[in-house]
Amino acid sequence: MDFSKSSLAIKRWIYTSLILLFFIILIFGFIQLQVSNKDVYVLKSLNNSIRKSQLYAVRGLIFDSKGKIVVDNRPSFSLAIIPRVAKPYTIKDICNRFHLDYTKVKQELKKTFGFRPIVVARDISQESVIWLEENRLNLPGIINVIEPKRYYAPGVKSPHIFGYVGEVTQNEQKQNPEYEQGDLIGKKGLEKKYDMRLRGSKGVKFLTVDASGRELGKLDINRDIPPVHGNDLQLCLDYEQQAFAESLMTEINGALVAVDTKTGGILALVSKPDYDPRNLSGKISSDVWSQLLNNENHPLYDRALQNGYPPGSTFKMVPATAALQENIITPNWKASCPGYFRLGRKVIHCWNLKGHGTLNLTQAIKYSCNVYFLQLGLKIGLETWSKYSELYGFGRKTGIDLPGENKGLVPSVEYFDKRYGKNGWTKGNLANLAIGQGELLITPLQIAQYAMIIANKGTYYTPHLVKHFYDYKTQSFENYPIIEKRVNEISTEVYDVIRNGMKEVVEGGTGWLGKVPGIEMAGKTGTAENPHGEPHAWFMAFAPYDDPEIAISVIIENGGHGGATAAPIARKFLEKYFFGHLIPRVFAKPDSNTVEEKKDSLILPMDIINIQPLKIIPQKEIHNQ
Amino acid sequence: MKKSFSVKIDPFLFFLVLLLVTIGLFAVYSATQTQETEQFNLFNKQLFFAFLGLIVILFTAYIPFKVFEKIAIPFYFFSLLLLVFVYIFGTKGQGITRWLSFGSIKIQPAEIAKLATILMVAKYLSNKEVNINRLKNLGITLLIILTPFILIAKQPDLGTSLVFLALLIPILFWANLNWFTMFVIVAPIFTMILSFNFYAFLVWMLIISFILFISHRKTLILVVVFFFHILVGMVTPQLWGQLKPYQQKRISTFANPESDPKGAGYQIIQSKVAIGSGGIWGKGYMEGSQTQLRFLPAQHTDFIFSVIGEEKGLVGVIFTLIIFLLLLLYLLYLGSIVKSPFASLSIVGVTTVLLSHIVVNVGMTVGLAPVTGLPLPFISYGGSFLLSTLLMIAVINNFSVNRFEV
């Protein structure tokens, strides 16, 4: 080969230029990355090594009116997977151990990529936490995270007031963009109504992490944003009173609502049957859930404000008010009750088959005479009846601070025309409505509000559970706005007559078992026919008579006569409210209980002025059709 | 020249190599810092092999110059034998057979084959009887280089095998291959690349036709060359289909790493983020967040240069590259001044091997070259590789101190 010096020199320079070219290209590449695009890569590198970790705010506590904590938080352990780190077979193992659906978990993990832990099982047992910690090294990417869960003080139940919290669904996320995947939000009750207040605001913690997602420590405390504790709620009710009310309703299907007539504050709100809210805190087992859903008594349903019932005789003050206010009758207008009423070809019986004789309005209320009110109803007509029903707040929501309230149903002329055709409905429908039957649906809460209106002679307040909030951000209390409303269309004189009638009800009338000794009060019984068995028993009351402070409504589904079953419950509640204990009954046997009282209720009190026989078999209030 | 017991060393060569090895040790120390228990283990290993390599340089200098020429042939066949052994006794690593184990010592025969092939081809071409422009001699030269290439490509170790291909062209160039033959050998590479785009291929074929036309060779040769290119153009897309998916992925994601950020593109993206965020001055030694938090894959081996880029910035990068450049240019200088053609060709061979490693590895860290798994000479962690690189330097040092011998 030719190995002359000149040819070598040329080859050397050719090769040298080639090498130089390569190096220039390389250096150009570095300049582009490190000078031209430096900022982009600095940001990327920061994002790489810094994990923005969310700090969950403490959910606001719930206090009762006495300042006792009724709903609190406790830590619970959740199983979480870091998608980027966890190996498929590890995930499979974990799924087997915790009885999770592998394909579902995989789908869940696919939604995000990276180092953000995804919670796959909530509220795992203590043993599982220990097992996870022991096997930490063998389970890369599997961690347990501490999440708060609702804790209810011992003896606290009231699921229909508090509701429960659960993981946000995609639908809920769409409705409220503030919700993020995996958030725990209020699903029912106060938790739902005040979710935005209770949840507080999340904080952010910046952590340095390595490529495996391991947290190495805090980046810079000054950049962190601390979470803000959710608002605390203080309720208007004394939980002792509420718990007592719940105990009165044990093993009963029904509801009890007591309201402070001076503010509208709810003093008790019971719906039975209910469930233990602890079962829906943290992990909800599907067994418990399906049991609750499929239970024929519907424990998830809040009867106090979601269920409309026919109000029965408690409604009689509406036609009475209408007739007086419209000057259709005077308080002294009398009607005679022979025990039945003939309407066209139909005969409607009074609950007292022997008849009440001739009564005025006060007596008609006192003895809840159907025949009297049937006649009155025909006199006032449907239009006036509807108008006064609405004045008393029926057919619209009360505006209580709980979600899912039912507005009930007050039929109007238009409603009947639509339903039965222009001339398809008869006087029978109207007569029915006058005694609180027929197409009339009223919630127990509305009855309580109705009692409050009568008690205050027209003034009433929006019912509400919350007295005030404590805002941790401003560190101040914020009162729940008390909204005063007034029924101006009804004069004081009319209220006086109605109230007097209601006072008579408990003073030896049908509601005598509702009378609290030593307290002057007023009430009204109701026995609402329903196609499913025994009639529903109603009782409503307010007390004290002259300066009312509490109004109450009680319904017992299929409880029979209102005066017999509902009134004693209201009485006991009020005794506890006024005196802090029950007052022994002079009429009842020493070991009296509800069963005994049912027997007692067959006997009217001794001081009755009526000529009616002492022993009566309770009848259904009407014998329609 | 000097007869007595003096240190036989090329001071400039030794200084550059020492500098590079030192940079490498610092980089490996930083890159392995996070592997808590392993760090000193890995660093000490590297330190040990660095010392061993430097001692090898010092001792190799005393080997008589002629010996290398004499052992070239047996050494070459011995290395081929080792490559064959890999198939039979090889140790698997990540599904790929590249290693031979002797007790606790593992060697990578491909590393030895590099030097052996360089010496063999230099020995053959330096023979006075051999004229590269004769077809028979050219054929034998190709055979010498392509045999280890095929054996290594089959392992499969695409990166290392391509080094052998890269070796071919400068060696033939240095051995005065005529420009037409050179064209015939080099052109198919472009044909392969351009065959994926029909229009580029068409333009390229026009250029080939023109060059063939002005070459004034026998028509038969021209026709054969022309149709060979057509054939290559048609077969290459098919061959692409034959590549293993991970090899395809490596090459295609090199073009667009963002297309697969979790998989094949991850390494390139992380490396670019590391280097880019280093800026001009770097984040400081042992301060690189990408490195210290182990976002960089293979950061102490293939991606060691990203560590330098992140922690020392553009300044460190240019400094290191300049030392590499000085080394390569100095080697070329040596290649053009040594008396012996054998030494000259060997030096050019070593230069080419180092150059291809440097360009591919450094290019890979900035996304200018595909991820092929070629380590960076002197810097990357790996005892076998460091030692074999220093052995090449040792041989060149011997040639340098014996530069006037023939």
Side-chain angles (χ1 to χ4, degrees), chain A residues 348-551:
Chain A
I348 305 171
H349 291 272
C350 190
W351 63 270
N352 183 349
L353 293 172
K354 291 192 173 164
H356 288 106
T358 304
L359 312 98
N360 63 12
L361 182 60
T362 311
Q363 287 166 323
I365 292 173
K366 178 173 182 178
Y367 300 116
S368 198
C369 175
N370 283 345
V371 174
Y372 185 96
F373 281 98
L374 287 167
Q375 292 175 43
L376 197 61
L378 294 178
K379 274 171 110 69
I380 56 178
L382 181 61
E383 217 159 315
T384 313
W385 177 88
S386 298
K387 179 187 157 196
Y388 282 88
S389 299
E390 275 156 26
L391 284 178
Y392 274 123
F394 297 119
R396 64 185 149 88
K397 294 182 179 182
T398 63
I400 190 175
D401 50 350
L402 279 177
E405 193 191 350
N406 187 347
K407 64 178 180 165
L409 173 69
V410 173
S412 58
V413 176
E414 294 84 48
Y415 175 87
F416 273 141
D417 283 351
K418 221 170 144 188
R419 176 109 192 246
Y420 299 106
K422 198 90 187 150
N423 296 308
W425 52 281
T426 62
K427 284 187 163 180
N429 296 77
L430 176 60
N432 245 346
L433 290 174
I435 54 170
Q437 293 291 153
E439 283 127 321
L440 184 58
L441 293 172
I442 305 294
T443 65
L445 177 64
Q446 282 173 327
I447 292 289
Q449 180 180 257
Y450 168 55
M452 169 164 58
I453 296 171
I454 298 171
N456 291 339
K457 299 182 185 178
T459 305
Y460 65 112
Y461 307 90
T462 305
H464 56 271
L465 282 151
V466 173
K467 195 191 224 165
H468 55 232
F469 308 97
Y470 181 76
D471 190 333
Y472 281 81
K473 208 174 255 169
T474 60
Q475 302 203 331
S476 60
F477 286 98
E478 182 190 330
N479 286 323
Y480 183 91
I482 293 171
I483 301 159
E484 187 182 311
K485 296 183 237 177
R486 207 180 145 69
V487 185
N488 287 317
E489 291 83 348
I490 302 168
S491 63
T492 317
E493 292 73 34
V494 173
Y495 283 121
D496 286 342
V497 177
I498 302 293
R499 283 164 55 95
N500 187 42
M502 285 177 70
K503 188 172 123 190
E504 288 298 314
V505 169
V506 291
E507 305 279 358
T510 53
W512 69 275
L513 279 172
K515 166 85 172 137
V516 179
I519 300 281
E520 216 182 356
M521 58 180 282
K524 182 73 192 78
T525 58
T527 306
E529 280 295 312
N530 77 92
H532 318 288
E534 287 286 295
H536 299 321
W538 276 103
F539 186 72
M540 60 178 268
F542 63 85
Y545 183 75
D546 289 324
D547 184 17
E549 49 184 80
I550 181 167

Side-chain angles (χ1 to χ4, degrees), chain B residues 5 8-9 52-64 68 394 397-398:
Chain B
F5 208 75
K8 288 187 170 180
I9 202 136
L52 195 62
L54 295 176
I55 290 165
V56 165
I57 293 176
L58 294 179
F59 276 89
T60 312
Y62 293 97
I63 297 172
F68 295 104
N397 180 57
N398 185 298

Side-chain angles (χ1 to χ4, degrees), chain A residues 1-3 5 8 11-12 14-16 19-20 22-23 25-27 29-31 33-35 38 41-42 44-45 48-49 84 113 209-211 214 216, chain B residues 125 173-174 176 262 266 270 272-273 275-277 279 283 289-290 293-295 305 309 313-314 317 321 325 328-329 332-333 336 341 344 352 362-363 366:
Chain A
M1 65 182 268
D2 175 23
F3 219 71
K5 277 276 168 263
L8 268 178
K11 285 187 284 188
R12 182 184 154 204
I14 292 176
Y15 202 177
T16 302
I19 293 175
L20 280 172
F22 277 137
F23 274 70
I25 293 173
L26 286 181
I27 288 176
F30 278 94
I31 288 174
L33 285 182
Q34 298 188 295
V35 182
K38 184 196 167 190
Y41 289 109
V42 165
K44 278 190 180 180
S45 133
N48 236 350
S49 53
R84 184 91 176 81
F113 155 69
V209 292
D210 70 5
R214 197 169 40 149
L216 302 174
Chain B
L125 289 175
F173 170 67
W174 209 256
N176 297 322
K262 269 200 216 179
Y266 178 77
Q270 294 299 346
K272 283 169 94 169
V273 169
I275 293 167
S277 60
K283 295 178 185 171
S289 62
Q290 289 281 109
L293 305 176
R294 288 199 282 165
F295 283 95
F305 204 71
L314 187 63
V317 165
L321 284 181
L325 186 64
L328 292 173
L329 297 186
L332 275 189
Y333 161 76
S336 63
S344 176
T352 308
V362 175
V366 282

Side-chain angles (χ1 to χ4, degrees), chain A residues 159-160 249 252 254-256 269-274 299 301-304:
Chain A
H160 296 299
M249 304 284 286
I252 284 172
L256 180 152
L269 186 94
V270 182
S271 168
K272 289 278 180 175
D274 57 5
Y301 204 55
D302 185 354
R303 287 165 161 78

Side-chain angles (χ1 to χ4, degrees), chain A residues 245-265:
Chain A
E246 285 181 25
S247 73
L248 291 175
M249 304 284 286
T250 315
E251 291 182 10
I252 284 172
N253 287 4
L256 180 152
V257 180
V259 89
D260 181 341
T261 55
K262 292 190 190 313
T263 62

Side-chain angles (χ1 to χ4, degrees), chain A residues 198-211:
Chain A
L198 284 167
R199 71 201 316 257
S201 53
K202 285 181 206 162
V204 176
K205 180 172 65 166
F206 294 97
L207 292 164
T208 23
V209 292
D210 70 5

